[in-house]
Amino acid sequence: MKPDDALKIKEKVIREVSKYYINGEEALEVLFANLISEGHVILEGSQGLGKTTLAKLFSQAIGVEFKRIQMTSDLLPSDILGTLVWDLEKKEFKIRKGPIFSNIVLIDEINRAPPRTQSALLEAMQEKQVTIDVNTLELPDPFFVIATEIPNDTG
């Protein structure tokens, strides 16, 4: 992508999201820069500031699939990545993909996830792939994680 094309797309995304989200230009700049550089972002702030709304609007503006995963202390890696399930008709295991298989994934309140679940996310974020049992599966392109975190003193 040429720099001029990226700039035009960024301006269009900011214009579209700004119709519904006020004063989010700086956050959108960060989201867009990390998306095109194949990085990921963590948004920190108190509840009710619109972090989830911003992530949804951003994905809609660029026209990609969006999924949200709410972290809880009992969430397992398979809840995010997917698992093998038995197909009674074919008499074999098949892969049921989890919500990580999306272009933009919002990991809501990442600090509440158990360490094993956070580790599973690291493979996805670093390698753009996940391993379910012995199967390694590529994640969609683009793949971008927006994580949120509520500071300890407010949550």
Side-chain angles (χ1 to χ4, degrees), residues 8-151:
K8 287 177 186 175
I9 293 168
K10 180 182 80 168
E11 289 170 356
K12 178 184 177 246
V13 167
I14 290 173
R15 194 170 47 253
E16 287 300 309
V17 173
S18 294
K19 291 178 185 177
Y20 307 98
Y21 193 91
I22 300 169
N23 294 327
E25 292 84 7
E26 185 178 343
L28 288 166
E29 294 266 354
V30 170
L31 291 174
F32 194 81
N34 279 279
L35 174 68
I36 62 173
S37 66
E38 297 185 2
H40 304 284
V41 171
I42 187 162
L43 302 174
E44 183 181 77
S46 300
Q47 292 176 331
L49 294 179
K51 298 178 294 294
T52 300
T53 301
L54 180 64
K56 263 188 203 176
L57 290 169
F58 181 72
S59 65
Q60 289 171 354
I62 62 173
V64 298
E65 184 181 22
F66 171 84
K67 290 190 182 161
R68 176 181 174 267
I69 303 169
Q70 177 66 49
M71 292 289 129
T72 59
S73 61
D74 62 346
L75 198 69
L76 299 172
S78 60
D79 295 330
I80 295 170
L81 306 179
T83 189
L84 293 176
V85 294
W86 183 252
D87 186 328
L88 289 172
E89 292 177 12
K90 295 182 180 179
K91 299 197 185 313
E92 66 184 18
F93 283 103
K94 69 177 187 175
I95 295 173
R96 178 177 292 155
K97 293 180 179 178
I100 197 75
F101 288 89
S102 185
N103 297 113
I104 294 183
V105 180
L106 176 69
I107 306 294
D108 213 357
E109 299 184 52
I110 193 167
N111 50 319
R112 295 182 185 226
R116 285 183 57 205
T117 303
Q118 289 183 3
S119 292
L121 286 170
L122 287 177
E123 178 189 8
M125 293 168 66
Q126 290 174 346
E127 307 295 329
K128 307 229 187 282
Q129 67 183 25
V130 298
T131 303
I132 300 173
D133 193 34
V134 296
N135 305 289
T136 301
L137 305 167
E138 297 292 318
L139 292 168
D141 186 27
F143 175 72
F144 183 49
V145 171
I146 302 172
T148 69
E149 182 174 73
I150 296 173

